Amino acid sequence: MSAADSKDVTVEEITCADDMPAYVARPKGGGKRPCVVLMHERYGLVQHTKDLARRFAGDGYVCIAPDVFFRHPDQDALHAGDARCDITDPDAVRDLSAAIDALDGIDGADTSRVAVKGVCQTGRHPLALAAERPISAALVWYGAASKREWEVTERQPRALEDVIADINCPVFGSFGEADHIISLDDVRRFRNCLEDNMKSYEIHVFKGAPHGWLNDTMPGRYRREQAEAGIAAELKFLDWVFDPKRDKSAISWKYACESGPDYDFSKNERLE
């Protein structure tokens, strides 16, 4: 996946509250820009996430990617996928809030316009944040919908239904039909919960896309066509979210799913 041209983007590494590192990418030039807080996958703040941050900057956004797993003692093992780091919803709210607060010191960042994106393991965390403080949009990529996400646990102290009931921003969801973790039934449950709580959403399910299909550093999972379509849909959604003429009181529901007549979730496989 191509990153933005370095001529047009400025990058820097900063430290947020509690010594949390973050990678910042922003467009060159004047004027205030809307912001995206970009959460990484299970691997921590690796190059793929930085590439995505620069791509957001190339599309006109100030993007900050906080390393919410920086407290893990073995970063090399984490980045290689040989170790796991789990944070609680309250931990995520704390760290995402620190990232948003850090945007106040970034040239060109309009902190009145902030979308938060979570991917896979961190997919539910934009929702947890949106239930606690105002944000402009929650962007969920193949997360927050599997059966385990609906359980109340030590890491997830509130039922997801209750979290969704408390959010006050539109939600974008991007899922893969060939995902071995999230079934089409799971996606519909997620969609139905948003509708039951009268939350605006736009959800896309892409045919043939396995879990992790946005990550171009994992050739077995990456699906260029679906990834580009998902990014295009996400940018169009953000244009709508940040349109000053949008009626924020109106509820908008958009669901697009492509699948085959022989869909069988049990046959979906984990790919590398």
Side-chain angles (χ1 to χ4, degrees):
M1 186 179 299
S2 61
D5 191 316
S6 60
K7 304 193 303 291
D8 304 317
V9 170
T10 296
V11 301
E12 61 181 315
E13 295 181 357
I14 67 169
T15 302
C16 306
D18 297 324
D19 295 323
M20 180 178 66
Y23 182 84
V24 176
R26 57 185 175 86
K28 291 182 178 179
K32 290 291 188 179
R33 309 282 189 144
C35 304
V36 174
V37 179
L38 173 62
M39 300 192 77
H40 49 70
E41 296 176 89
R42 58 167 294 196
Y43 310 102
L45 186 54
V46 294
Q47 190 59 48
H48 168 63
T49 305
K50 295 177 181 180
D51 290 344
L52 291 176
R54 292 198 304 278
R55 181 159 181 166
F56 268 121
D59 287 319
Y61 296 89
V62 173
C63 184
I64 182 170
D67 187 353
V68 300
F69 292 169
F70 80 99
R71 300 174 182 88
H72 191 278
D74 191 340
Q75 290 291 311
D76 289 340
L78 184 68
H79 294 169
D82 296 329
R84 183 178 177 89
C85 183
D86 291 300
I87 61 174
T88 68
D89 286 355
D91 289 341
V93 170
R94 174 199 63 206
D95 291 344
L96 288 171
S97 294
I100 292 174
D101 293 343
L103 286 169
D104 284 327
I106 304 299
D107 287 344
D110 180 356
T111 55
S112 70
R113 297 183 290 168
V114 179
V116 181
K117 176 173 178 173
V119 184
C120 185
Q121 182 182 345
T122 60
R124 68 179 284 118
H125 294 146
L127 304 174
L129 178 71
E132 298 289 336
R133 65 179 287 173
I135 60 174
S136 302
L139 313 175
V140 177
W141 283 71
Y142 42 86
S146 67
K147 290 179 174 56
R148 65 190 177 203
E149 300 285 354
W150 302 89
E151 300 171 357
V152 175
T153 67
E154 184 177 348
R155 292 196 302 271
Q156 302 167 184
R158 297 188 66 206
L160 185 56
E161 294 95 329
D162 295 337
V163 171
I164 289 174
D166 284 347
I167 68 175
N168 193 27
C169 68
V171 175
F172 177 86
S174 190
F175 300 93
E177 178 238 15
D179 196 312
H180 71 288
I181 297 175
I182 301 172
S183 70
L184 295 186
D185 284 344
D186 294 330
V187 176
R188 285 191 291 265
R189 181 180 181 182
F190 183 65
R191 175 201 66 187
N192 293 344
C193 188
L194 290 165
E195 291 189 2
D196 290 346
N197 287 281
M198 298 299 290
K199 307 301 180 182
S200 290
Y201 72 81
E202 180 174 329
I203 291 175
H204 296 261
V205 182
F206 294 94
K207 190 175 188 301
H211 194 78
W213 48 276
L214 180 62
N215 192 333
D216 63 348
T217 69
M218 305 184 75
R221 297 182 177 188
Y222 179 56
R223 298 293 183 271
R224 177 178 174 81
E225 180 180 350
Q226 292 92 328
E228 292 299 323
I231 290 172
E234 181 178 62
L235 292 174
K236 185 176 180 181
F237 173 82
L238 288 174
D239 285 343
W240 171 75
V241 165
F242 293 127
D243 184 349
K245 297 179 181 179
R246 177 171 70 90
D247 180 0
K248 295 183 179 180
S249 67
I251 306 299
S252 176
W253 295 341
K254 295 181 180 179
Y255 181 73
C257 174
E258 291 188 356
S259 184
D262 57 348
Y263 173 80
D264 183 348
F265 174 65
S266 68
K267 295 181 179 179
N268 288 353
E269 299 179 353
R270 185 182 189 275
L271 302 176
E272 298 297 336

